[in-house]
Structures are given as structure tokens and as C-alpha cells.
Amino acid sequence: MVTYCRSVLDDDPVFKALADPVRRLLLDLLFVQDGRSLGELDAAVNEHTEMTRFGVSKHLRQLENAGLVLTRKRGRTKHHYLNPVPIQQIHQRWIGKYTERAGIASVLLGMKEQLEQSPDEPKRPGHEPKDES
Amino acid sequence: MVTYCRSVLDDDPVFKALADPVRRLLLDLLFVQDGRSLGELDAAVNEHTEMTRFGVSKHLRQLENAGLVLTRKRGRTKHHYLNPVPIQQIHQRWIGKYTERAGIASVLLGMKEQLEQSPDEPKRPGHEPKDES
DNA sequence: TTGACATGTGACTAAATGGTCACCTATTGT
DNA sequence: ACAATAGGTGACCATTTAGTCACATGTCAA
């Protein structure tokens, strides 16, 4: 109880870390290949967008604080490793219940488009509010 | 292709919308009971944190823009409905691959704690960088 | 019609965030 | 020892964001 793993109970930093496209790109890069240094990641990021080493470093630190990236210093270079566990946690503890419901809701796959284009419909099959007039 | 549902290709607003705890609370509230009005949601939110009607309204609009909440105006009140589809989408298109990998990585369930407490270890089983000294 | 109710709007402030830079430390190789 | 390399720090600025408020609109009910 008391020694319960600290990061388990606040997934907020994880969600916050995932909110930035550059950070998601970094995770994608590490997903493809683990253990890269800051310099390597900086180079990879700059194939997509322009950003200095410092910006990349800051993003990596945020990922690290969220537990999504684990690091190991080896000589003068710092290697970064993807840790997918926090993502799995927010999935289990939060996202899962929504995807289950969505699985039901989106039986008709094209439904979403229709839903988003008719702003005067409640847009969920069945389960209409029971018109308490 | 051309008419591909607009919101499918940028999940960024969805991640951004999920990055705030109040907005996640709103989704949780709508998950429990759909179709609530702004006033009702305001009251429910204020059981957890203090916020004016305007703040809640703003958050709801962001959720709406991300497609996570669909609305219908009925008389003078606006009803809010949860739409889990965008969450399912980011799950399929992004989160899924990480949770799969995490499923492998966390075969030992208690592993994560250990990993986070030994900052001088690469912390992923196998797949060590090949010590190119 | 009048007043209470439910919500929307635009301006505004305070705080958080993303990004850069000048400078620093530590490590490596010669 | 020296220069080159990899990275960290703290200050700094611009932009975004969260939140509130005064005010306006539309709706219901007497």
C-alpha cells in the first residue's frame, strides 16, 4: 500500500508526455531502434522537423520523468531505452474501457463520419435520452 | 482516399484533449452517464475540484473539437454524449504496438519497480547494446 | 411580457510550455 | 596536455493554455 509503486497512481505525466507530437516521434524512433544517444535522436528528429539538440534533450527528459524512457550513461554518451510499461498501464487503467465501448459503438465502421456531420443527432446508437418532456 | 475522414489522420487533438485531468474526469463522468447538461457536469466536476461553469464549458468544447464528445441541443440545454471512437483510433494506430511490446516486457509483473530503482541498468531484458568498445 | 434559467462570447490575466542560447562539465583520443 | 566530442544547466523569450468575468442570447414558465 504505502510502498505502492509511485508512478502507478498518477498517469497524468504519461498523458502529458504523450500530448506532444515530437515526444511521440521520439517514442516511435526508439520503438524502431532502442539505445540511441541524444545526438542520434537529434539527427533523426531533424529529418522530420527542425529543432536544436536542447529541445530534443528537454523532450527526452520529460519522457524520462514520465517513465516512458529509461536511460543509461555509458562514457560520455547517454543511451535511451523505450519503456512501454506506462503506456500499457494507462491502457489497462483508463483507455481499455473506452475501446471496449467503442468496439460496440463502431460496429458499422463508416459510422463515425456520419456522426460528425449531423450535428443535430445524439449520434450514439440506441441509448437515447428518454425524452422526459 | 481524398474523402478520407479528416480526423483520422491527426490524432494530435485527441492526445492533447486527453492531457488534462479535468477533461479525463469529464470523459469518466460521461462514461458513467451520458447525455448530461453543462450544469450537471459542472456540478459533478465541482465535487472533485473547484471550477466555474466557464472553465467546464471550455474543456467540453475542446473535447468536442477532438471528437471525443458529441452534443445535441435540446431546448435551452445542451446535452453531451461520449464518443469513444477517437480513443479506439489512437489505440489502434499508436498505443497498440506499445502495449503489445509491454506485454512481452512485463512478463515478470514486479519488474517495473526494480527497473525504476536501478538507474545504472539498461532496464530492458535482452537486447543490450552490443558494447562496441 | 416578465423574470428566471441554460448557455455562449470575447476580453483579460496568470501560469505553463516549447524552444533557443551562452556557458559549463565530463570524457575521449592523440 | 590539448582539442574535440557528448551532454547538462539556468536564463530567457514567445506562444499557448487554463481559468475567470462582464455581458449577451435564447428558452421556458407563469
Side-chain angles (χ1 to χ4, degrees):
Chain A
M1 272 292 204
V2 182
T3 56
Y4 208 63
C5 180
R6 174 193 34 73
S7 73
V8 163
L9 276 187
D10 64 323
D11 34 26
D12 197 61
V14 179
F15 278 109
K16 287 244 165 56
L18 294 181
D20 187 281
V22 176
R23 288 194 288 269
R24 289 198 301 277
L25 171 61
L26 283 167
L27 292 180
D28 283 336
L29 290 169
L30 290 178
F31 186 87
V32 173
Q33 190 194 351
D34 235 351
R36 305 200 217 191
S37 69
L38 169 60
E40 291 169 320
L41 289 169
D42 180 28
V45 165
N46 273 273
E47 290 174 7
H48 298 77
T49 178
E50 232 162 273
M51 181 171 305
T52 64
R53 168 176 71 90
F54 307 100
V56 178
S57 173
K58 254 190 174 177
H59 283 300
L60 283 171
R61 183 159 18 262
Q62 285 178 256
L63 289 170
E64 208 177 339
N65 291 338
L68 286 160
V69 162
L70 304 167
T71 61
R72 177 200 211 175
K73 219 167 166 190
R74 175 188 277 245
R76 60 182 161 183
T77 82
K78 186 175 182 180
H79 298 269
H80 300 77
Y81 299 88
L82 175 63
N83 179 25
V85 175
I87 294 184
Q88 192 192 34
Q89 289 182 341
I90 64 168
H91 175 250
Q92 287 181 349
R93 300 183 35 243
W94 203 84
I95 293 178
K97 65 177 183 180
Y98 292 98
T99 56
E100 285 176 30
R101 182 168 292 189
I104 300 168
S106 63
V107 173
L108 306 167
L109 266 183
M111 200 176 65
K112 183 159 177 292
E113 288 84 345
Q114 290 190 7
L115 297 182
E116 291 184 344
Q117 281 160 17
S118 58
D120 53 344
E121 279 292 334
K123 301 144 188 170
R124 286 260 320 293
H127 199 258
E128 279 271 325
K130 289 151 206 73
D131 201 326
E132 56 280 351
S133 61
Chain B
M1 272 292 203
V2 182
T3 56
Y4 208 62
C5 179
R6 174 192 37 73
S7 73
V8 162
L9 275 187
D10 63 323
D11 34 26
D12 198 60
V14 179
F15 278 110
K16 288 243 164 57
L18 294 181
D20 187 283
V22 176
R23 288 193 287 269
R24 289 198 302 278
L25 171 60
L26 283 167
L27 292 180
D28 282 337
L29 291 169
L30 290 178
F31 185 87
V32 173
Q33 190 195 348
D34 236 349
R36 304 200 217 190
S37 69
L38 168 60
E40 291 169 320
L41 289 168
D42 179 28
V45 165
N46 273 274
E47 289 175 8
H48 298 78
T49 178
E50 233 163 273
M51 181 171 305
T52 65
R53 169 176 70 88
F54 307 101
V56 178
S57 173
K58 254 190 174 178
H59 283 299
L60 283 172
R61 183 159 20 261
Q62 285 179 255
L63 289 170
E64 208 177 338
N65 290 338
L68 286 160
V69 161
L70 304 167
T71 61
R72 176 202 212 174
K73 217 164 167 193
R74 174 188 277 244
R76 62 183 160 181
T77 82
K78 185 174 181 181
H79 297 269
H80 300 78
Y81 298 88
L82 174 64
N83 180 26
V85 174
I87 294 184
Q88 192 193 35
Q89 288 182 342
I90 64 167
H91 174 251
Q92 287 182 347
R93 299 184 35 244
W94 203 85
I95 294 179
K97 63 177 184 180
Y98 292 98
T99 56
E100 284 175 30
R101 181 168 290 190
I104 300 168
S106 63
V107 173
L108 306 168
L109 267 182
M111 199 176 65
K112 184 160 177 289
E113 287 84 345
Q114 289 189 8
L115 296 183
E116 291 184 343
Q117 280 161 17
S118 57
D120 53 343
E121 280 291 334
K123 300 147 187 168
R124 287 260 319 293
H127 199 258
E128 279 271 323
K130 289 152 204 74
D131 200 325
E132 56 280 351
S133 62

